[in-house]
Amino acid sequence: MSTTQRAVATTPTWIDDRIGAGKWLKKNLRKVFPDHWSFMLGEIALYSFILLLLTGVYLTLFYNPSMKEVVYNGSYAPLNGIKMTQAYESTLRVSFDVRGGLLVRQVHHWAALLFVAAVSVHMLRVFFTGAFRKPRELNWVIGVGLMTLAILEGFAGYSLPDDLLSGTGLRIAQGIVLAIPLVGSYVSSFLFGGEFPGTDFIPRLYSIHILLIPGILLGMLTAHLLLVWYQKHTQFPGPGRTNTNVVGYPLLPVYVAKAGGFFFIVSGIITLIAALFSINPIWQYGPYTPDQVSAGSQPDWYIGWLDGAVRVIPNWETVLWGHNISWNILLPALIIPGIMFTLLALYPWVEAKATGDKREHHLLDRPRNAPTRTGLGVMALTFYVLMWISGGNDIIAQAFSWSINSITWTIRVLLIVLPPLVFVITRRACMGLQRRDRDKLLHGRETGIIKRMPSGEYLEVHAPVSSATRAKLVASRESDYAPIEAPPAVDANGVKAPKKRRSGVKLSNFYFANRVIPPTDEEIEEGQHHAAGDLETVRPSGQITSGH
Amino acid sequence: MSNDSSSEIEVAGAHEIEHALRRTDIDPRAAKRAERQVAIMFGGSVLASILFVVAFVSVKSTAVVNVPLIGLIGLQNLTLGLASGLGLFLIGAGATHWARKLMSDEEIVDERKSFASDDETREAVVESFQTGVEESGVMKRPLIRRTLLAALALMPIPAIVLLRDLGPLPETKSRETLWRKGSRIVTDISYRPIKPEDIPLGGLVAGALPADLLKVEEEEGNLNQRAKAAIILVRMAPDEIRSQQIQDGDFQGILAFSKICTHLGCPIALYEQRTKHLLCPCHQSTFDLADDGNVIFGPSARRLPQLAIEVDKEGYLVAKEGFQEPVGPSFWERG
């Protein structure tokens, strides 16, 4: 026995002798994980977060979160002799006078951009496949919390270098704080240690960015992953996959290699991007001063929708008894995002109320099989993307020489008109796709073979669908629960049905409107049998040559 | 179909899991080839790590290289990044290739159990819970319950009060700027005083400050006064001024306005000479300087405050008085 072989054989025993992990390992070493490309999205988020922690710690070794004024005297000649804060000066130092410092800074920033992107797309995947349904509602809520914190953490991070762009972002944030009714001026004064910009805020933001938020993120992330582990991953419908099993590759060796390897792939690609593409070149912006700004100031992409909302809102302000309520700031920066995130977090319960469904779901929906949910999701996404585009209205105006006023007005109109329209179209499209699936199950698939009947009539021959396709198509039955039945308006004893129950029925009818009912097994058998018979008459062997 | 949690969902259970053999499963030579490919990737990573160290000690930080399609890049950033990026990527690529080509690709099946415990356990839990609650007496002794709730409800107050000394009370500071009667107006970069003849007709001074700002900043050690005092100056023909906030607030067609946007406080500097419009680069609020500084488009709800100006004995532009209304974004107490 070689040393390696001996190590492999004795490691599990060594661990078991000390912490008695035998039982747990026995169950989990070969734990099954279902495979699908979209399950990688959450992994990308996780790995960019790990990369953020590692590069972040490195950056703290050089960055100095102080707003004390110094005169720059370093390798970047254009800024020599210019007064700036130590925060900005130390960011320049790590970029120009620390070997590899710029690379780590760029990896940190690119990883942050990718982190929020991966979190967002992962959330879309979970939403559109219905992975948030019972028993995973809690993990959905944790996920919404993680996304909110990720956005805040990103904003805090790019505000730290105290360059002209980040300072402008902070000025806007302070303006938003000021708009909070009743306490705005006080909150702002406490946050900034007096007036804006003061000298306290960056050191305070620093401890929030490197300790408070990452600490909470790490805790919630751990809970998120533990729940995925414990509840086992969902899977897409397919042959052999049921709601009560989980089909896939074992943790050891396949997932250790694939997931472990994927960490290195994600890190490697981020590093290669950081090697080639500059991000947040703070030396070009110059130090922050509250009386200067550069045109075309754009925040990082994930703040874009908020900035866009602030741009697109009409200038509503109410002055009542000497007090200002700035709707033009409160609505886009606090109220609308607040409503959006609350609805997002509560969605699993809203849907469960509409479906009246209390079962566990481990098989994922294909988006077409939940037309209302898919429609709502695409509607919300349209709203988001429009606001995001609005955040770049100045860039668009410049690029296409359009009037910024007409762009803003167009987006205002679209924000109201487009989302409901998109909802209707998406829901219709989903139902169309469902009908096509139903046809396939009932009549088989089209073969492209045309048969001429003795009567001279032409018919197209259909063939039975493969068992894999069939397994995929009949999965729509899983989410096909009927709408809640309306209680009689007045029951036998003459008691009126409670209003609450009637509203539940309304919601349910909305959710299930124009439902496409999937065929039963008997109907499918009959249909597939027909198709098979159809085929026999053309090609007695039952073989169809592929190609034309 | 019933919507009861006990009903099971039957889908596709009868179908077989399909499995096709890979080249590497059948042909030992293909397997050997895959093995070599994995080893080459791992070996490449080893090389990349060594290259990183070489680049770290040998590439000068000032060296720049022109990469096609991307442009000028610092050579140090490029070499260190490529070496460590490839080093990481090749480990991942090798491991994935290994898993895909050589590790078993047969899917295995695990059964799920419902998360809910059996009825007996659930009943026992409810019972223990009730026993616990009963033994504590919390339901029977409302006095304890209510005082405890009160204590817990008030407990966060000290934590919130502790935050009080993060900063001073706002007082009326946001209504005050450094501008006084006679404050001399200087340019923002060179701090030179400005004479009316320095500004041609149609001209703009994109940033100006009160002359005593530097001294105050030195004393206070922050940029707070600058954030409120910044102004811009524009000159138009006196008959082009349709209306202004302060009667005779201009000096021979030279108007002074706060530079701080009344929306969210960005400094405004995009001036269109022909229309006399001033545009904020942050959220595109547009102000008409020939007409009171009113908002003509965008999210801002209020006009830009005007600063009345005149010239002093030496002929330099000065403020005639301080700002007559608060500058910058709205706040609750503004009125």
Side-chain angles (χ1 to χ4, degrees), chain A residues 9-27:
Chain A
T10 53
T11 304
T13 5
W14 192 91
I15 296 173
D16 191 48
D17 283 348
R18 275 143 193 94
I19 56 173
K23 255 193 196 144
W24 189 85
L25 287 172
K26 185 181 153 208
K27 210 169 72 187

Side-chain angles (χ1 to χ4, degrees), chain B residues 75-98:
Chain B
L75 189 62
Q76 198 178 62
N77 188 66
L78 183 70
T79 47
L80 293 180
L82 288 181
S84 52
L86 276 177
L88 289 162
F89 181 82
L90 287 173
I91 294 179
T96 311
H97 198 59
W98 180 9

